Amino acid sequence: MLTPCDLVIIIGSSILLVGYWINATTQDTPSQVVDPIAPSRTQEDAVLPTALPQSTALQRKTNSALRRYTPRTPGLRHLIRPQNDHLWKGRPVHALTFPKKGHARGGRNRTGRITVRHRGGGHKRRIRTVDFDRSAPGQHYVERIEHDPNRSAHIALVRDAKTGKQSYILAAEGMRAGDVVTSYRAGLPKELLKDMGDSVDMGVIASKTAMRGNCLKLGMIPVGTPIFNIAPNKDSYGKFARSAGTHGIIIGKGEDVVQKEMVKAMGDTGTLDIASLSQEQLIKFEKAANYVTVKLSSGEIRLIDKDAIATIGVASNANYKYTSLGKAGRKRWLGIRPTVRGTAMNTVDHPHGGGRGKSKGDKVPVSPWGVPTKSGYKTRPKHKINRLVVQERPRNQGKRRRGYA
Ligand SMILES: *[C@@H]1O[C@H](CO)[C@@H](O)[C@H](O)[C@H]1NC(C)=O
Ligand SMILES: *[C@@H]1O[C@H](CO)[C@@H](O)[C@H](O)[C@H]1NC(C)=O
């Protein structure tokens, strides 16, 4: 149970913490994690109206982190790739990979029927074993950043400073060879606590731990910090926000909300009588204090256990979304086969099939199995409510859905 004295300490430390973050954003401290997408976009947008549209477009082209090619062949004309000159050009660490099985099956199951459409061919590849768990404590040196054929983000080869063991972790945007990353999953190291003496100040802890690439429990990360590779619960490993450029943002902590409520309950008297709170209220407070509110890249706002882990920063290769493959064959190299439109099929093959010309009539778009497929149609059963979702992601670009409610 919290005594009023404890409360004062908690409130005091949270004020310190806010102070630290204001400092961190104004000064350029190493712990500052810069969102590579948002700030630059807002700056550029601010410049646009004053400059001539064409010249800005040109400037953007030359300044951009994307690589275009002289059209020596038709396939190069529309090829656009993010510039990633820092990537390792050699092979991966063989011991940390295994061959991809079933590559030649082309999406067919044991009985030979296609169960995953649009699969087949593609370059031979080995699967990199990526450590999403980050359970090894202590410092790890980043040896190099590598491409991973099985994901859009990059991976970092790290070496444990104590044991010398190598492993792959998901790279954060801006992470480079020579960086040092630490996982605090097992708790704070003794040296850090000793340095601080008797007083345990959350702000000071955050300033020493919340740095790019470090793995922390959500409860230890300051509000407003971008995070990626987020675990859904405390026993799990990183699962959310793993693809290139994605990240979540901690927008609130249950502890803070409970604190506010308690201060309100204190009123003018300045003291809180725990006995005056009902059992129900106490249980509610206890539950609420266990969660952290995170906004994910999709726009979904979700509660996550405060002991679940996440990595500080943004998943690497943020410019991946501007890639243009330039020719159909490059898609085939990735192991993806052509997708035929439903309206181009016969009636037996697709609900949109058949008929004269290219019309599908005034019908709601559906999948080959008749399930509506556009405008954010929800397939989750109504009774299976996910109680951890505070606010659903916006569907159909936030616009009204057509044809069904
Ligand atoms: C393979 O897929 C077909 C079609 O979906 C299905 O009928 C069959 O039972 C599957 N076989 C196995 C072994 O799962
Ligand atoms: C490839 O990556 C995806 C996404 O992270 C993962 O779900 C899948 O299991 C990986 N494939 C293999 C064979 O590890």
Side-chain angles (χ1 to χ4, degrees):
M1 267 327 96
L2 287 170
T3 63
C5 179
D6 284 349
L7 262 182
V8 169
I9 291 172
I10 295 173
I11 293 166
S13 65
S14 70
I15 288 168
L16 263 178
L17 196 135
V18 169
Y20 157 68
W21 273 97
I22 290 168
N23 265 341
T25 41
T26 46
Q27 293 160 16
D28 222 350
T29 57
S31 64
Q32 185 186 7
V33 183
V34 181
D35 185 341
I37 316 153
S40 61
R41 192 194 284 152
T42 48
Q43 273 163 26
E44 267 181 24
D45 286 350
V47 168
L48 262 180
T50 52
L52 281 172
Q54 243 184 354
S55 65
T56 10
L58 269 178
Q59 221 175 4
R60 258 194 194 179
K61 211 171 171 183
T62 49
N63 287 348
S64 77
L66 301 172
R67 179 160 292 154
R68 290 154 202 269
Y69 297 80
T70 315
R72 268 174 284 118
T73 62
L76 281 182
R77 186 177 300 278
H78 298 293
L79 178 62
I80 301 174
R81 283 201 284 217
Q83 275 187 30
N84 286 313
D85 296 330
H86 59 282
L87 289 186
W88 171 248
K89 304 225 164 46
R91 294 183 167 269
V93 177
H94 196 267
L96 295 176
T97 64
F98 61 88
K100 181 171 179 179
K101 282 250 179 80
H103 197 86
R105 278 206 288 264
R108 287 160 178 84
N109 73 358
R110 204 150 55 97
T111 23
R113 307 284 281 278
I114 290 190
T115 48
V116 187
R117 293 163 77 216
H118 321 304
R119 291 288 162 90
H123 196 282
K124 188 174 153 184
R125 47 169 88 157
R126 293 181 73 84
I127 298 295
R128 279 70 166 162
T129 49
V130 179
D131 177 17
F132 296 114
D133 207 63
R134 304 287 301 270
S135 46
Q139 291 191 326
H140 286 68
Y141 300 126
V142 176
E143 296 198 329
R144 61 196 192 209
I145 309 289
E146 287 186 20
H147 166 77
D148 183 348
N150 189 38
R151 68 193 70 251
S152 52
H154 299 143
I155 53 176
L157 179 68
V158 295
R159 188 184 284 278
D160 194 324
K162 271 210 187 101
T163 62
K165 220 179 134 213
Q166 282 181 316
S167 58
Y168 281 123
I169 61 168
L170 214 56
E173 181 73 17
M175 190 188 265
R176 293 291 181 272
D179 287 3
V180 180
V181 294
T182 313
S183 169
Y184 295 100
R185 182 171 193 159
L188 292 172
K190 281 205 186 81
E191 302 95 63
L192 194 78
L193 293 175
K194 218 192 256 169
D195 278 355
M196 297 198 317
D198 300 330
S199 61
V200 176
D201 185 342
M202 282 313 286
V204 176
I205 291 182
S207 72
K208 294 196 172 171
T209 57
M211 296 186 198
R212 176 169 56 209
N214 283 357
C215 175
L216 289 165
K217 289 184 177 169
L218 288 178
M220 286 162 62
I221 304 174
V223 172
T225 316
I227 48 174
F228 72 106
N229 194 19
I230 308 161
N233 56 54
K234 67 171 189 285
D235 304 317
S236 192
Y237 54 88
K239 288 183 181 172
F240 300 144
R242 296 203 315 209
S243 54
T246 56
H247 61 279
I249 288 203
I250 299 190
I251 56 174
K253 293 193 176 180
E255 292 167 355
D256 298 345
V257 175
V258 170
Q259 238 178 65
K260 246 187 224 162
E261 293 269 316
M262 286 197 168
V263 169
K264 216 191 274 172
M266 270 202 270
D268 299 331
T269 54
T271 51
L272 179 68
D273 190 9
I274 298 284
S276 73
L277 297 174
S278 67
Q279 195 68 23
E280 253 174 45
Q281 227 166 354
L282 283 175
I283 291 172
K284 213 175 104 191
F285 279 175
E286 209 166 304
K287 253 191 192 165
N290 265 336
Y291 287 101
V292 166
T293 316
V294 178
K295 184 169 187 195
L296 300 172
S297 276
S298 62
E300 177 175 303
I301 297 178
R302 200 177 193 285
L303 294 177
I304 303 180
D305 197 314
K306 73 171 172 24
D307 287 331
I309 51 158
T311 310
I312 311 281
V314 174
S316 45
N317 203 10
N319 283 323
Y320 168 79
K321 61 178 175 183
Y322 301 115
T323 305
S324 161
L325 294 179
K327 59 172 187 175
R330 210 163 259 123
K331 199 81 177 167
R332 302 299 299 267
W333 296 345
L334 297 176
I336 299 167
R337 294 197 61 233
T339 305
V340 176
R341 288 163 302 134
T343 46
M345 295 184 190
N346 296 326
T347 323
V348 285
D349 297 321
H350 201 284
H352 294 170
R356 288 173 177 228
K358 284 186 253 173
S359 101
K360 69 172 190 298
D362 192 18
K363 277 187 275 181
V364 168
V366 290
S367 76
W369 306 276
V371 180
T373 133
K374 252 193 86 188
S375 312
Y377 178 76
K378 294 178 186 170
T379 48
R380 191 185 184 94
K382 282 245 161 60
H383 64 274
K384 267 198 191 168
I385 299 158
N386 187 345
R387 296 196 187 283
L388 293 176
V389 174
V390 179
Q391 189 185 314
E392 271 189 32
R393 69 185 163 88
R395 297 181 187 240
N396 196 25
Q397 287 96 46
K399 286 203 277 298
R400 219 178 113 235
R401 277 167 275 153
R402 186 177 148 265
Y404 39 85

